[in-house]
């Protein structure tokens, strides 16, 4: 027995809620747009897209913003953006949706038009870079004067970490009397640099935040990171607590030292080294013959020390 569609009056073999498949599809769309306009804001300098209050450097976010504006009413098997032109002002994106709204209807394709408002503005990082606005400083200091080799190591770390991000923002390295000041607009990059320095050289790292302006959720802060280097390794000679020491090793935040006079071994925490008075004396070191074997002779001023089996 032939059935009649209540909407178009045509005879049909299949009725779904009194409608033929074509009329059912017309009255039951596969997808609909949830909002009138989708706003897309892009930074013209670095290409970052504003997504849920955050700037994201991923061009796929544009597609995500458009597809998130669509609500699916049936069983969907594929979604694709067919046309999208991003010019300033209002644009239209055509989205093709494949699926079905009822088990008695074979899969089909349906087009949805999404209105997109496109605009551009500088993201905070690029704005800070253009304005040379400082949001963080990494103060690198050392318990002993920094030599040229140590400074080059620090500068190389800064260069490598900066290269990882094409848009690192404002960055300036200042050579100050007792170390280096690394000034940045990116607090994340500041922490990354401080961590890499700490990993490369025994050091103590502390950080603090200060409010630059604003209040509540709109507070702008400045990050200050202090990196105090303890650039000692096996063979270093130091004066610590008014006694001469030979550095044997460093591991897990602790230095193993030998007191040159008594030959006693001491394990000193890095933090205690930083707090204590440490200096590097003028000395001479050479290998000599002692009791039939080679020994290390260290001369500091008028004092002479011999360390057996250390050459």
């Amino acid at each position: 027995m032939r059935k009649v569609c209540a909407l178009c009056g045509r005879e049909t073999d299949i009725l779904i809620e009194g409608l033929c498949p074509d009329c059912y599809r017309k009255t039951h769309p596969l997808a609909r747009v949830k909002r009138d306009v989708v706003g897309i804001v892009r930074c013209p300098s670095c290409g970052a897209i504003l997504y849920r209050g955050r700037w994201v450097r991923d061009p796929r976010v544009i597609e995500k913003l458009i597809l998130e504006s669509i609500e699916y009413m049936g069983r969907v098997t594929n979604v694709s953006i067919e046309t999208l032109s991003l010019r300033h002002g209002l644009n239209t994106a055509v989205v093709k949706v494949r699926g079905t709204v009822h088990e008695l209807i074979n899969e089909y394709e349906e087009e949805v038009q999404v209105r997109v408002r496109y605009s551009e503005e500088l993201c905070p990082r690029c704005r800070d870079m253009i304005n040379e606005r400082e949001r963080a400083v990494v103060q690198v200091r050392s318990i002993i004067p920094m030599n040229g080799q140590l400074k080059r190591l620090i500068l190389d770390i800064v260069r490598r970490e900066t290269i990882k991000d094409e848009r690192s923002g404002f960055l300036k390295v200042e050579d100050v009397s007792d170390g280096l000041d690394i000034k940045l607009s990116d607090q994340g990059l500041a922490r990354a640099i401080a961590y890499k320095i700490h990993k490369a050289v025994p050091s103590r790292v502390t950080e603090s935040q200060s409010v630059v302006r604003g209040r509540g959720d709109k507070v702008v802060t400045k990050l200050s990171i202090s990196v105090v280097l303890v650039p000692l390794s096996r063979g270093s000679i130091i004066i610590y607590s008014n006694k001469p020491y030979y550095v044997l090793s460093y591991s897990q935040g602790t230095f193993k030292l030998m007191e040159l006079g008594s030959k006693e071994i001491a394990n000193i925490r890095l933090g205690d080294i930083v707090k204590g008075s440490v200096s590097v004396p003028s000395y001479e070191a050479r290998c000599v013959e002692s009791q039939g074997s080679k020994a290390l002779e260290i001369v500091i001023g008028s004092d002479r020390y011999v360390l057996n089996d250390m050459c």
Side-chain angles (χ1 to χ4, degrees):
M1 179 179 176
R2 301 286 289 178
K3 304 169 186 177
V4 177
C5 173
L7 186 61
C8 69
R10 290 186 301 174
E11 291 186 351
T12 178
D13 294 328
I14 300 173
L15 277 181
I16 305 171
E17 298 178 11
L19 301 176
C20 67
D22 288 342
C23 289
Y24 190 86
R25 282 175 46 180
K26 291 177 183 178
T27 56
H28 295 77
L30 189 56
R32 69 177 184 88
V33 180
K34 294 186 289 186
R35 62 190 80 155
D36 293 336
V37 178
V38 175
I40 295 177
V41 182
R42 178 181 175 275
C43 175
S45 181
C46 69
I49 308 296
L50 186 60
Y51 180 69
R52 297 185 178 181
R54 294 176 58 248
W55 290 89
V56 181
R57 288 178 177 81
D58 185 349
R60 292 173 297 181
V61 171
I62 293 177
E63 180 178 335
K64 195 171 184 178
L65 281 166
I66 293 171
L67 296 184
E68 284 181 350
S69 71
I70 299 174
E71 180 180 3
Y72 304 107
M73 317 299 289
R75 179 174 58 84
V76 175
T77 57
N78 187 57
V79 180
S80 61
I81 298 177
E82 295 299 302
T83 60
L84 173 62
S85 175
L86 292 179
R87 290 188 288 266
H88 282 276
L90 282 175
N91 302 268
T92 299
V94 178
V95 179
K96 186 174 288 186
V97 182
R98 182 173 181 81
T100 182
V101 290
H102 197 277
E103 60 184 10
L104 295 177
I105 301 177
N106 293 329
E107 282 193 3
Y108 58 94
E109 291 183 344
E110 187 173 286
E111 288 189 350
V112 180
Q113 293 190 347
V114 180
R115 299 179 73 199
V116 177
R117 177 177 285 112
Y118 176 75
S119 61
E120 293 184 345
E121 68 176 70
L122 289 170
C123 68
R125 177 184 287 187
C126 292
R127 191 183 307 120
D128 287 346
M129 182 179 66
I130 290 173
N131 296 331
E132 295 192 350
R133 190 168 295 161
E134 183 184 324
R135 291 280 184 260
V137 59
V138 182
Q139 297 174 315
V140 184
R141 303 294 185 265
S142 177
I143 62 166
I144 58 177
M146 296 176 65
N147 57 28
Q149 182 179 357
L150 185 56
K151 286 186 177 181
R152 286 193 295 272
L153 172 64
I154 304 303
L155 294 174
D156 188 54
I157 290 173
V158 173
R159 180 186 61 80
R160 282 188 276 111
E161 289 303 304
T162 304
I163 288 174
K164 288 181 181 179
D165 192 337
E166 293 180 356
R167 304 296 301 189
S168 60
F170 164 68
L171 187 148
K172 180 190 292 184
V173 180
E174 295 182 352
D175 197 336
V176 295
S177 60
D178 52 351
L180 295 170
D181 281 352
I182 306 164
K183 300 179 178 181
L184 315 94
S185 59
D186 190 310
Q187 295 188 356
L189 179 59
R191 285 193 174 95
I193 289 172
Y195 168 76
K196 289 296 185 180
I197 294 173
H198 175 65
K199 191 174 180 181
V201 183
S203 54
R204 184 190 68 184
V205 179
T206 57
E207 67 174 67
S208 62
Q209 289 270 10
S210 59
V211 176
V212 177
R213 65 176 184 272
R215 61 178 60 185
D217 296 334
K218 297 184 178 180
V219 164
V220 177
T221 62
K222 179 179 177 180
L223 173 66
S224 297
I225 303 178
S226 169
V227 182
V228 180
L229 306 178
V230 186
L232 305 177
S233 58
R234 180 177 176 83
S236 297
I237 308 296
I238 61 171
I239 303 295
Y240 173 67
S241 297
N242 297 318
K243 295 181 180 179
Y245 284 90
Y246 180 91
V247 178
L248 294 170
S249 63
Y250 173 75
S251 177
Q252 297 181 344
T254 300
F255 285 95
K256 187 176 183 180
L257 309 177
M258 176 189 289
E259 204 272 296
L260 292 179
S262 65
K263 305 298 190 296
E264 291 183 354
I265 304 298
N267 292 312
I268 311 295
R269 300 289 298 174
L270 183 143
D272 294 329
I273 295 282
V274 172
K275 293 176 185 177
S277 176
V278 175
S279 62
V280 177
S282 296
Y283 68 92
E284 293 182 1
R286 60 175 182 166
C287 288
V288 297
E289 291 288 338
S290 176
Q291 300 176 356
S293 62
K294 286 195 173 184
L296 180 65
E297 181 187 67
I298 301 171
V299 179
I300 305 175
S302 60
D303 297 319
R304 176 178 175 272
Y305 307 95
V306 178
L307 306 181
N308 294 321
D309 302 320
M310 297 298 285
C311 275

